[in-house]
Amino acid sequence: MKTWLRAMGGKPPNAIIIDHNRAWKTIIAEVFPNAKHHFCLWHILRKVPEKLSHMLRKHEDFMTYLYNFPYKSWLKQQFKDKWKKMIENFQLLEDEWIQSL
């Protein structure tokens, strides 16, 4: 990341999208302290079968909901509201992986 920053003439990005990885989160905070860090939706959705297999067995519509709501949220507040609703509807308040997102 430091090499990338030098290659960018020392100008850090405003935001960075990367996979959900604690090591990356630490590195980004160190090298790009003012950049907003976002998790890549593709990586998140790819991990759902592993991390939330119990939800997939219990709620056949869970994956459909999870695939659709990010694309139907035009405003930040809409996304937050739908995320909160998903957590409540599917009882994911105690899920460690969901909370880490």
Side-chain angles (χ1 to χ4, degrees):
M1 287 293 164
K2 290 178 182 177
T3 301
W4 182 36
L5 183 58
R6 282 194 305 275
M8 299 300 291
K11 185 176 182 200
N14 293 326
I16 190 161
I17 299 172
I18 202 147
D19 67 333
H20 184 241
N21 181 303
R22 290 178 192 197
W24 279 118
K25 190 174 182 179
T26 302
I27 292 166
I28 290 166
E30 177 187 322
V31 180
F32 308 122
N34 297 320
K36 291 185 180 186
H37 180 205
H38 301 280
F39 296 125
C40 173
L41 182 60
W42 183 83
H43 282 101
I44 292 169
L45 293 175
R46 202 171 113 209
K47 287 187 177 183
V48 167
E50 170 194 343
K51 302 290 186 178
L52 298 174
S53 61
H54 63 287
M55 292 305 302
L56 298 175
R57 287 189 303 274
K58 190 175 178 181
H59 302 281
E60 63 183 49
D61 61 336
F62 180 74
M63 212 51 199
T64 302
Y65 182 85
L66 195 58
Y67 270 114
N68 288 326
F69 95 85
Y71 298 109
K72 294 181 179 180
S73 300
W74 296 101
L75 303 172
K76 187 176 183 176
Q77 192 58 49
Q78 283 178 317
F79 180 88
K80 287 181 176 186
D81 292 344
K82 289 178 183 181
W83 182 261
K84 184 178 176 185
K85 184 178 177 182
M86 178 193 73
I87 288 173
E88 290 170 358
N89 288 348
F90 293 104
Q91 301 171 337
L92 291 168
L93 189 59
E94 301 297 321
D95 188 277
E96 187 178 321
W97 184 71
I98 286 288
Q99 293 305 318
S100 73
L101 298 174

